[in-house]
């Protein structure tokens, strides 16, 4: 039962891991779903803000283009050129000024003499005869410099934005030219100049924003949190203001729409997952409880066995002691025969008890290896000599050859080594009625260590193939009727194999029914004295 311990422990660990995996998987799923939905909605919002920024930039460009087109339309005009030539300001105001006022977009018109840089202008509220130039000289120079950049061609920005009296303005400039070009003797750069100005105020911004279907359009000193914005730059690239608006939030709308079904779906999955995790953990707990009970039962059984064996040994020692004392007294032939029988039975009983005790010690983990130097050849010799009495008694030969390990000294548990070999050799003699038993030993390199390989072959009854796999099980006997007569507990090989495992070794068997068996015991040791001895044949 204790063999099953580690596997059942693995089972519990596996089911605990399954539960953890379940919960972990669920959390990962919830996290993955929520974060991807949030990511998608954020991404939607970001893209929407970006595209609304493009739209607004386009709207502002269109506004500037309209101003430029307007100033060009009003500049190629024979009558206007004539009126400037003769300084007919009332004509200019009534024709250009009022026309512009009708359009409702122009806020300022300024005429400039290119040579003197003198200007006069008109804006909403000016008297009919106009008034002197409205633009400060430096701004005027900046605007006129626009023409210098590209005096004739279209396609270059000829509109600038500037701050004037705390307001944002757009200005554009063109030369006032007769339809058929400059008159004879007048150079292009002597043509009078005309500047158009438009305020870019909140009202006008709303007009720009309306077709873009964006709300909250206005100017601001700086970008605002929770608002989308683009900067307005003057001709030097300096930010003079920001256009801000309420950003579109399609992602947030999507989030709102999917929130309810998503939460329901996640709750459903979590519930199902929770129920199955509960089942798994309950089964794990049940398994654990069963295992603990089994281990406790196994432990108390082993303890019981150990106690009983111990208790049995004490009176047996008494019986043997008394028998030995009896042996020293004068006995007649019959009494001696009875005493011999007593010895045989008592010794068999002692062997059984010590097997049980050994077995229970190994099972409970109380049997530890005691490491010390020992000579395996000497152990083999002792064992073979000891068992030879029994072999002789049965009339079978017992041969040994351990020349190869003569003189070898290793570090290990000599007692355990001896116990394994004793069991194998005594089994060989026990289960052989005709022929011989041969014990050989050799060395085999095993990494940094050296294995001692002991081979015990016999010409005995052999083991049926179906029993071969089970002879190392405790209390197993291949043929119980026969073994009982040959004595035994079915524990010898179980103990031997356990000891071999403790020594990192193992016992293997080959057998042919009716022809004999060969048991090979190999275990690795640290060698402290190398071989060097003569051939030994018993
Ligand atoms: P026991 O010898 O006390 O019955 P063991 O554990 O030593 O118990 O052996 C288990 C069984 O394996 C034996 O009962 C016997 O059937 C079989 N067995 C062991 N060694 C031999 C052998 N050398 N030849 C034939 N059968 C063997």
């Amino acid at each position: 039962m204790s063999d099953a311990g580690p596997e059942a422990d693995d089972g519990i660990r596996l089911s605990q891991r399954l539960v953890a995996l379940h919960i972990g998987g669920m959390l990962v799923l919830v996290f993955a779903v929520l974060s991807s939905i949030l990511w998608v909605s954020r991404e939607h919002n970001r893209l929407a803000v970006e595209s609304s920024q493009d739209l607004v930039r386009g709207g502002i460009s269109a506004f500037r283009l309209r101003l430029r087109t307007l100033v060009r339309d009003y500049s190629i005009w024979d009558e206007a050129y004539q009126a400037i030539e003769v300084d007919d300001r009332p004509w200019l105001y009534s024709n250009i000024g009022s026309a512009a006022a009708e359009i409702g977009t122009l806020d300022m018109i300024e005429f400039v003499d290119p040579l003197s840089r003198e200007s006069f202008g008109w804006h909403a509220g000016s008297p009919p005869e106009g008034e002197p130039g409205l633009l400060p000289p430096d701004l005027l120079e900046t605007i006129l410099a626009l023409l210098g950049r590209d005096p004739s061609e279209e396609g270059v920005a000829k509109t600038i934005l500037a701050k004037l009296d705390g307001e944002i303005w757009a200005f554009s400039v063109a030369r006032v030219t007769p339809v058929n070009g400059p008159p004879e003797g007048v150079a292009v750069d002597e043509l009078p100049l005309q500047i158009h100005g438009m305020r870019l105020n909140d009202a006008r911004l709303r007009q720009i924003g309306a077709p873009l279907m964006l709300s909250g359009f206005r100017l601001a000193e700086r970008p605002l949190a929770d608002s989308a914005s683009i900067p307005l730059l003057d001709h030097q690239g300096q930010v003079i203001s920001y256009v801000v608006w309420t950003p579109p939030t399609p992602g947030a709308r999507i989030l709102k729409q999917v929130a309810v079904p998503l939460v329901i779906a996640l709750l459903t999955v979590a519930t199902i997952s929770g129920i199955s995790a509960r089942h798994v953990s309950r089964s794990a707990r049940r398994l654990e409880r069963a295992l603990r009970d089994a281990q406790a039962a196994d432990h108390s059984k082993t303890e019981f066995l150990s106690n009983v064996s111990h208790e049995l040994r004490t009176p047996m020692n008494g019986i043997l002691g008394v028998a030995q004392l009896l042996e020293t007294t004068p006995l007649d032939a019959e009494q001696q025969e009875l005493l011999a029988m007593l010895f045989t039975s008592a010794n068999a009983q002692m062997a059984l008890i010590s097997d049980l005790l050994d077995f229970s010690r190994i099972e409970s983990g109380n049997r530890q290896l005691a490491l010390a130097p020992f000579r395996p050849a000497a152990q083999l010799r002792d064992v073979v000599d000891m068992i030879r009495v029994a072999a002789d008694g049965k009339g079978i030969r017992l041969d040994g050859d351990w020349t190869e390990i003569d003189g070898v000294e290793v570090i290990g548990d000599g007692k355990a080594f001896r116990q394994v070999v004793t069991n194998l050799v005594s089994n060989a003699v026990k289960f052989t009625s005709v022929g011989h038993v041969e014990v050989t030993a050799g060395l085999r390199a095993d990494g940094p260590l050296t294995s001692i390989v002991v081979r015990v072959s016999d010409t005995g009854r052999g083991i049926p193939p179906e029993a071969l796999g089970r002879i190392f099980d405790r209390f197993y006997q291949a043929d119980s009727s026969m073994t009982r007569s040959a004595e035994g507990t079915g524990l010898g090989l179980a103990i031997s194999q356990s000891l071999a495992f403790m020594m990192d070794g193992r016992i293997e068997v080959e057998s042919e029914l009716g022809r004999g068996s060969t048991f090979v015991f190999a275990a690795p040791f640290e060698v402290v004295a190398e071989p060097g001895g003569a051939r030994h044949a018993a």
Side-chain angles (χ1 to χ4, degrees):
M1 187 69 216
S2 65
D3 293 350
E7 287 148 32
D9 272 352
D10 282 352
I12 289 174
R13 244 173 273 137
L14 181 72
S15 38
Q16 283 170 343
R17 241 176 260 158
L18 274 176
V19 172
L21 214 67
H22 227 90
I23 296 169
M26 185 58 220
L27 290 178
V28 169
L29 177 75
V30 170
F31 178 76
V33 170
L34 287 182
S35 50
S36 54
I37 296 259
L38 281 177
W39 182 81
V40 166
S41 70
R42 276 177 66 111
E43 208 46 16
H44 258 72
N45 285 352
R46 191 182 62 76
L47 289 175
V49 168
E50 267 177 21
S51 58
S52 76
Q53 278 168 332
D54 289 343
L55 282 177
V56 173
R57 268 191 209 101
I60 303 282
S61 297
F63 164 78
R64 293 170 72 155
L65 191 70
R66 206 166 73 227
L67 180 62
R68 207 184 75 196
T69 312
L70 205 66
V71 76
R72 283 181 58 83
D73 283 354
Y74 277 88
S75 60
I76 302 171
W77 195 354
D78 286 346
E79 289 84 348
Y81 182 79
Q82 290 300 330
I84 295 168
E85 280 289 284
V86 298
D87 201 16
D88 184 356
R89 293 190 191 191
W91 187 93
L92 284 168
Y93 293 136
S94 62
N95 286 283
I96 294 184
S98 60
E102 264 169 38
I103 297 166
T105 47
L106 272 181
D107 296 309
M108 173 197 291
I109 297 174
E110 187 111 340
F111 295 100
V112 187
D113 178 341
L115 299 175
S116 68
R117 292 296 203 238
E118 261 177 54
S119 68
F120 60 93
W122 170 94
H123 65 99
S126 297
E129 67 278 11
E131 50 190 317
L134 301 166
L135 291 168
D138 55 337
L139 185 57
L140 181 66
E141 283 309 315
T142 304
I143 296 167
L144 296 185
L146 280 177
L147 279 180
R149 250 193 266 157
D150 181 20
S152 56
E153 293 301 317
E154 281 187 45
V156 178
K158 285 189 184 171
T159 310
I160 62 161
L161 297 177
K163 213 167 187 175
L164 181 62
D165 296 335
E167 287 185 300
I168 308 300
W169 285 77
F171 296 105
S172 207
V173 61
R175 294 182 191 280
V176 182
T177 318
V179 177
N180 294 324
E184 276 290 317
V186 177
V188 170
D189 51 8
E190 289 166 3
L191 292 171
L193 300 160
Q194 179 182 244
I195 295 169
H196 284 192
M198 276 187 194
R199 276 195 192 85
L200 194 55
N201 52 18
D202 286 355
R204 192 149 281 143
L205 271 181
R206 272 194 293 276
Q207 284 169 12
I208 296 171
L212 308 179
M213 296 205 283
L214 296 170
S215 61
F217 260 101
R218 62 202 167 85
L219 290 171
E221 290 286 311
R222 58 189 65 82
L224 304 175
D226 300 331
S227 291
S229 65
I230 58 160
L232 294 177
L233 308 179
D234 68 7
H235 60 285
Q236 288 173 319
Q238 300 289 330
V239 178
I240 48 172
S241 187
Y242 286 90
V243 179
V244 297
W245 66 94
T246 311
T249 51
R253 274 211 309 280
I254 292 174
L255 196 61
K256 237 183 248 170
Q257 279 164 1
V258 300
V260 174
L262 182 72
V263 167
I264 292 174
L266 285 180
L267 278 179
T268 312
V269 174
T271 312
I272 293 170
S273 193
I275 291 171
S276 58
R278 224 173 109 83
H279 273 291
V280 174
S281 95
R282 258 205 211 146
S283 334
R285 272 205 299 278
R286 231 176 281 144
L287 182 64
E288 195 178 352
R289 225 176 294 133
L291 175 84
R292 288 233 178 85
D293 293 350
Q295 278 173 340
D298 194 48
H299 187 76
S300 48
K301 185 195 75 187
T302 307
E303 211 168 329
F304 172 74
L305 207 57
S306 168
N307 289 341
V308 167
S309 313
H310 196 78
E311 294 307 321
L312 284 175
R313 209 179 357 204
T314 318
M316 275 314 292
N317 277 325
I319 293 171
L320 276 169
V322 171
Q324 273 159 3
L325 284 177
L326 202 59
E327 207 179 17
T328 59
T329 62
L331 298 169
D332 62 27
E334 196 187 353
Q335 283 170 326
Q336 277 175 12
E337 201 178 317
L338 288 172
L339 191 62
M341 280 168 67
L342 177 75
F343 268 121
T344 312
S345 297
N347 281 328
Q349 187 74 348
M350 274 303 263
L352 170 63
I353 292 167
S354 55
D355 267 3
L356 281 173
L357 203 55
D358 257 359
F359 170 73
S360 59
R361 271 205 208 116
I362 291 173
E363 286 275 286
S364 61
N366 287 335
R367 172 77 147 93
Q368 306 288 340
L369 290 185
L371 301 186
F374 75 95
R375 290 179 185 270
Q379 300 278 19
L380 283 174
R381 189 177 308 112
D382 283 356
V383 170
V384 167
D385 285 349
M386 185 182 75
I387 297 173
R388 173 159 300 112
V389 184
D392 288 348
K394 291 181 76 173
I396 53 172
R397 234 175 56 233
L398 174 57
D399 295 333
D401 179 3
W402 40 82
T403 323
E404 207 181 318
I405 63 163
D406 251 345
V408 171
E409 191 169 1
V410 298
I411 303 282
D413 188 327
K415 213 175 137 202
F417 178 84
R418 185 191 179 105
Q419 197 172 344
V420 173
V421 175
T422 304
N423 188 257
L424 296 182
V425 180
S426 64
N427 267 359
V429 171
K430 186 161 71 179
F431 295 108
T432 303
S433 27
V434 186
H436 65 276
V437 170
E438 194 177 18
V439 182
T440 58
L443 295 170
R444 193 176 68 199
D446 200 346
L449 303 171
T450 303
S451 274
I452 304 285
V453 183
V454 179
R455 177 182 288 269
V456 181
S457 352
D458 64 56
T459 55
R461 62 181 172 111
I463 302 161
E466 69 276 7
L468 263 185
R470 299 194 55 199
I471 54 167
F472 294 100
D473 293 352
R474 51 204 168 152
F475 302 114
Y476 182 79
Q477 295 182 312
D479 176 355
S480 43
S481 59
M482 146 86 200
T483 343
R484 207 167 291 135
S485 68
E487 296 167 7
T489 57
L491 279 176
L493 284 180
I495 292 171
S496 300
Q497 187 68 293
S498 298
L499 287 173
F501 285 158
M502 283 167 73
M503 290 187 266
D504 285 336
R506 62 181 297 117
I507 302 170
E508 278 166 358
V509 59
E510 277 174 21
S511 184
E512 207 178 318
L513 197 58
R515 306 199 68 144
S517 317
T518 299
F519 284 78
V520 180
F521 161 48
F525 295 97
E526 183 191 338
V527 175
V528 287
E530 294 295 327
R535 185 182 159 76
H536 174 107

